[in-house]
Structure formats: structure tokens, C-alpha cells
Amino acid sequence: MKRNIRKILIAGAIAVPAAALCLFAWAYWVEPNMLTETRFKYPIPEWNGTSNRVRVAVAGDFHARPGDAPRLRRVVNAIRERSPDLVVLVGDYAFASRDPAENTLNLPLMSEILSELRDGGKTPVFACLGNHDYAYGADKIRKMLEDAGIRILEPGTARLRFGDECEVFLGGVRNHLISRIAPEDAVPFPPEDFYGAALFVVHSPDLVLDLPREAGYALTLAGHTHGGQVCLPGHIPLVPHASRIGDQYAHGMFEEGGKDVFVTRGVGESRLRLRLFCPPEIVFIDLVPTEALPPSQWRSRAVNPRKIVLPPEEKAGK
């Protein structure tokens, strides 16, 4: 009996460190490179007919470091493969080191790669900045994006027309206060004659709390949380984010105060380059008329009145 217990203890002493090492290897070498796609349809009541569609690609939290050009190109190529009508980038292009001497990104090269999102000027690309971008140097990151032909919504608006009946309005504010909209920053409202899809672009989902409901934005697009980055199975973050909203909003589509917000997991990592049960993600949202989806399928709050369950997502690994 004692001999059996001893064997079990020895086996456990070997198995536990081995399993921990395998888990670390997966989180360090494998999962950060598992670029995934999330795709779903979001209905816009103001659009008529059932044949209209505007595909919006959303990506953020790149956290680029020196030598990350191949990784950045992979993200850009994955977005272009889906031929989006519009690209929205939700901040944190740089990984800002605490030592300014280590902030040595090749910004001209990053600009060159990100410019490919525009597909020769055919695809409009809009962006906001994130907290790492401000820490790295907001002016440097703004110039990098502007040199790529990317328009920054900090603050700013854009009114775009796709086809004869589909209009999209984009609005944004400065993201220098990561958890709230600064009192001196006025939220831009869509014009009174606008009846299309109004999208609010921010880095942190916390800012949706300060977004006036009467502004009329259909959907807020955000990042910042990385989905938790290192999670338990079921996307349960191991390290809570300092958030006014809470970790239940770390990833996915939610409703807060009658306002819809989608939070992407992002494509990079901050601090340690680890991801566990939370792979990097690019998002493709097809804005469609309400008539294109049965009302019973596109929104259900039966399980959690604060969480929106969309139609079954199409996901594909890259």
C-alpha cells in the first residue's frame, strides 16, 4: 500500500510540472499565433430591402514590437481576404515600454503595411488611439496612421455611402482617458437627416457608459481588454481588468444602458506574450437590413438580460 502511494506521489510530482510546462508552451508559442475570425450579422432597421450589406472589419490591440512586421502583415492579409467595405481599428498599435529607450518601432514600415488595408484607396480605414499609443507618443502614432492614409476619429466623424441606400456614420472621441470620456470632449451626434448605421469607435468599452443614448449610435466598437488574454476555459479572465463595466464585458456583444457594444479580443498581447483560452481575433460584422434576418434569430436576452446573443457565429482559424 505504501509502495503504491509512493508511486502515485512520484507520478504526480512528474506529471504536474510537465503539464504546467506544456500549458506554458501552448500559451507562449502556439495560441498567440492562432489568428481567428469572428463573423456575424448585425441588423439595421433603417435600411430597406434584404440585399444590402456593408461588411465592417474590426481589429485592435496590435501591440507591435520590434520585429513584428511579419505578424502585422498576416493580420492585414487576413482582413483583405474577406474584402471588407470598411475597416475600423480600435487602438493600441504600439507596445509601449516603461523605458522610452526601448520604444524603437519601425513606424514607417508599420505605416507601409497598414496602408495595404486601403486596397489602393478602395477601402476606407478609420482608427482611434489606445492607452499604449499615448504612452508611446500619440503624435508619433498619429503620423504613422496618417501616412498610411488612415483617418483618425479623435475626435472626428465620417459619413459614408455604400450603394444607393446604405449609409454608415462613424463617430469618435479622444481616448486619452482610458475609463471615461473627458468632460471637455463633446460626443459628436449623427446629423438629423441620417437614417443608416451609426457606429461609435473607441478603444476602451468603458467609454460606452458616457455615451448619451440619445446620440443614436447603433453599435459601439471597442477593444482594450484582450478578452482577458489569459483565461480559464469559457473565456473567464484570470486577471481582472480595471474596468467600470466589469470583466463580463471582456469580449463579445453586450448591451449597456440600451446601447450595444462589441469588444474584440484583439490581435496582440501586452506585458507578457501569453494567450490562454483566448486566441487573437479579427472581426467581420455584416451590417444588414432587419428584414434580412428573422427577428427571433438576431437578438435574444433570455439567458442574461445584459448580454446579447447573436445568431450562431461563423468562425475560421487562420
Side-chain angles (χ1 to χ4, degrees):
M1 184 70 175
K2 290 182 179 179
R3 193 173 291 178
N4 289 338
I5 294 175
R6 186 179 179 184
K7 287 181 179 179
I8 292 172
L9 292 175
I10 292 173
I14 295 172
V16 171
L21 182 61
C22 290
L23 201 61
F24 176 82
W26 174 272
Y28 186 81
W29 280 291
V30 181
E31 193 161 320
N33 295 305
M34 294 174 58
L35 183 60
T36 63
E37 295 179 1
T38 296
R39 305 196 296 271
F40 62 87
K41 295 177 180 178
Y42 187 87
I44 304 297
E46 290 81 3
W47 287 355
N48 297 318
T50 58
S51 60
N52 303 322
R53 184 211 74 184
V54 174
R55 174 162 293 172
V56 183
V58 183
D61 297 292
F62 296 81
H63 290 291
R65 311 176 198 215
D68 268 0
R71 199 181 201 208
L72 187 58
R73 280 198 175 94
R74 185 177 174 222
V75 172
V76 168
N77 290 338
I79 291 174
R80 291 189 61 184
E81 282 179 10
R82 293 292 175 193
S83 301
D85 301 296
L86 169 66
V87 178
V88 173
L89 306 178
V90 292
D92 273 0
Y93 312 95
F95 173 78
S97 171
R98 293 180 180 178
D99 181 359
E102 296 181 4
N103 294 332
T104 56
L105 285 173
N106 187 339
L107 294 178
L109 179 58
M110 283 185 65
S111 180
E112 178 185 334
I113 296 171
L114 288 175
S115 71
E116 295 175 10
L117 290 170
R118 299 181 64 243
D119 193 18
K122 299 176 185 177
T123 306
V125 184
F126 294 85
C128 67
L129 271 60
N131 54 305
H132 273 255
D133 301 320
Y134 279 96
Y136 189 94
D139 290 341
K140 296 177 183 178
I141 300 300
R142 283 195 187 97
K143 184 177 186 306
M144 182 273 292
L145 293 169
E146 289 169 353
D147 288 348
I150 296 172
R151 184 171 165 186
I152 304 170
L153 298 168
E154 278 214 345
T157 64
R159 186 170 180 173
L160 310 172
R161 178 175 287 275
F162 300 91
D164 295 329
E165 298 176 324
C166 303
E167 275 197 304
V168 174
F169 180 89
L170 300 175
V173 295
R174 290 187 298 166
N175 288 250
H176 66 300
L177 299 180
I178 202 61
S179 64
R180 61 183 65 247
I181 297 174
E184 65 271 17
D185 291 347
V187 174
F189 281 33
E192 292 184 2
D193 65 342
F194 180 80
Y195 298 99
L199 308 179
F200 193 54
V201 180
V202 294
H203 178 61
S204 169
D206 281 4
L207 272 64
V208 76
L209 292 174
D210 298 334
L211 175 65
R213 186 175 180 182
E214 61 269 22
Y217 285 98
L219 179 63
T220 294
L221 302 174
H224 181 60
T225 66
H226 305 182
Q229 191 167 310
V230 177
C231 299
L232 297 172
H235 296 298
I236 302 171
L238 281 173
V239 180
H241 261 76
S243 171
R244 294 164 63 200
I245 295 181
D247 283 332
Q248 72 268 32
Y249 295 88
H251 170 254
M253 178 76 78
F254 305 96
E255 182 193 37
E256 174 58 45
K259 297 165 287 188
D260 291 350
V261 53
F262 184 87
V263 185
T264 176
R265 292 193 298 265
V267 298
E269 303 82 36
S270 64
R271 299 177 185 171
L272 297 178
R273 260 207 160 146
L274 297 173
R275 275 192 180 266
L276 185 64
F277 300 114
C278 189
E281 166 192 67
I282 50 178
V283 180
F284 297 96
I285 305 172
D286 284 354
L287 304 175
V288 298
T290 301
E291 292 82 355
L293 287 175
S296 61
Q297 293 184 13
W298 84 267
R299 172 177 275 181
S300 170
R301 298 186 176 91
V303 178
N304 180 350
R306 293 166 62 84
K307 181 173 181 178
I308 295 171
V309 181
L310 291 165
E313 295 176 350
E314 303 172 72
K315 294 186 178 179
K318 282 284 177 184

